[in-house]
Amino acid sequence: ALTPPPPAAPQLAGNPVEDYRRARDAYIQDDFATALALFDAFLNRYPGTELAPNAQFWKAQSHFKIDQYDEAIRQFAHFREAYPGQTTRIPMALHQEAVALANLGRVDEARRIFQKLIDEYPMDPAADGARERLRELDQR
């Protein structure tokens, strides 16, 4: 059997704002395969731009949305490490990373990340979600 050729790399417009918008639009339309390809291309072409942290977050979230939890965990962790203090999305990244861990049955790790979120960002709305998720895990 012939192996199909890999999908062509998405063509970027050459404008970071436009290219980010295209990737984000694909995400909003639940076209996560296209969104992933575009966010990857964006991060390769514009790694130091002010939109790079957002692109990395939505790349991780795209993996999460298609149940690629192992890769989502890696990408959310990369987001937190690569962009500390540069974004307000760190608490949500922690939350999603912990949910992905819980979905994989890695409950102790999920609890630890939820608790880290609560300890470090107690007033963030994501901490409220973490508290609720911890209560649910404790009832299992």
Side-chain angles (χ1 to χ4, degrees):
L2 290 173
T3 306
Q11 291 299 307
L12 296 177
N15 173 321
V17 173
E18 172 65 19
D19 288 333
Y20 175 81
R21 187 192 60 71
R22 281 180 56 219
R24 191 76 176 91
D25 286 350
Y27 177 90
I28 290 166
Q29 294 163 6
D30 295 337
D31 182 358
F32 301 116
T34 299
L36 279 168
L38 289 169
F39 284 129
D40 262 344
F42 180 95
L43 289 163
N44 285 330
R45 182 149 182 194
Y46 314 110
T49 62
E50 65 183 44
L51 288 170
N54 289 343
Q56 178 61 43
F57 177 86
W58 293 113
K59 176 183 172 182
Q61 187 67 10
S62 296
H63 283 291
F64 183 91
K65 289 284 198 174
I66 56 176
D67 300 339
Q68 292 178 346
Y69 298 124
D70 284 317
E71 189 59 27
I73 291 162
R74 277 192 288 282
Q75 294 299 328
F76 282 122
H78 174 70
F79 168 75
R80 293 188 295 108
E81 292 158 13
Y83 308 106
Q86 289 189 23
T87 178
T88 58
R89 289 205 169 94
I90 297 285
M92 183 51 73
L94 284 164
H95 182 274
Q96 295 299 84
E97 189 177 336
V99 171
L101 285 162
N103 288 347
L104 290 172
R106 294 162 62 182
V107 177
D108 290 343
E109 290 171 88
R111 277 195 175 92
R112 187 174 49 73
I113 300 281
F114 281 134
Q115 194 59 56
K116 174 182 173 73
L117 166 55
I118 293 164
D119 292 345
E120 293 181 12
Y121 305 94
M123 303 308 287
D124 192 274
D128 295 335
R131 289 182 193 93
E132 179 60 32
R133 291 287 186 145
L134 279 175
R135 279 192 291 276
E136 291 170 9
L137 289 174
D138 288 342
Q139 292 171 0
R140 284 186 183 177

